[in-house]
Amino acid sequence: MSTATPVPLTEQQQQALDAVPALPRLIDPRTNAAYVLVPESEYESVREALEDDRRHRVIRRVGLRNAVGRMAEDP
């Protein structure tokens, strides 16, 4: 879980959150970066899946690099 300190919603933000049927999208006006506000439990599930995918990609990359290295070696 995140070690960041949670920021409580204002009453206006809570009302806006309650009024949106889907996951709310937020825009940082300083950078125009878009964010999607998801419940923490869903975030943790997605984060774990992404980390697993990232690990598998690294393992495949290392395996391919090793295979190419072996192919380049003289028999």
Side-chain angles (χ1 to χ4, degrees), residues 2 5 11-12 14 29 35 37 39 41-42 44 48-50 58 68:
S2 175
T5 303
E11 185 175 332
Q12 181 183 14
Q14 183 63 55
Y35 299 88
L37 185 63
S41 60
E42 291 180 34
E44 289 299 331
E48 289 172 13
L50 290 172
V58 168
V68 168

Side-chain angles (χ1 to χ4, degrees), residues 12-75:
Q12 181 183 14
Q13 291 168 328
Q14 183 63 55
Q15 290 171 354
L17 182 62
D18 292 342
V20 179
L23 296 174
R25 295 177 185 275
L26 311 168
I27 303 292
D28 181 341
R30 298 166 302 161
T31 62
N32 285 328
Y35 299 88
V36 178
L37 185 63
V38 298
E40 185 175 21
S41 60
E42 291 180 34
Y43 164 77
E44 289 299 331
S45 295
V46 170
R47 184 185 61 77
E48 289 172 13
L50 290 172
E51 284 180 0
D52 285 347
D53 182 60
R54 196 173 300 128
R55 272 192 295 273
H56 289 156
R57 287 174 189 250
V58 168
I59 290 168
R60 279 191 298 259
R61 196 173 331 132
V62 168
L64 286 172
R65 189 174 2 167
N66 289 342
V68 168
R70 281 184 299 235
M71 290 173 52
E73 292 175 359
D74 290 328

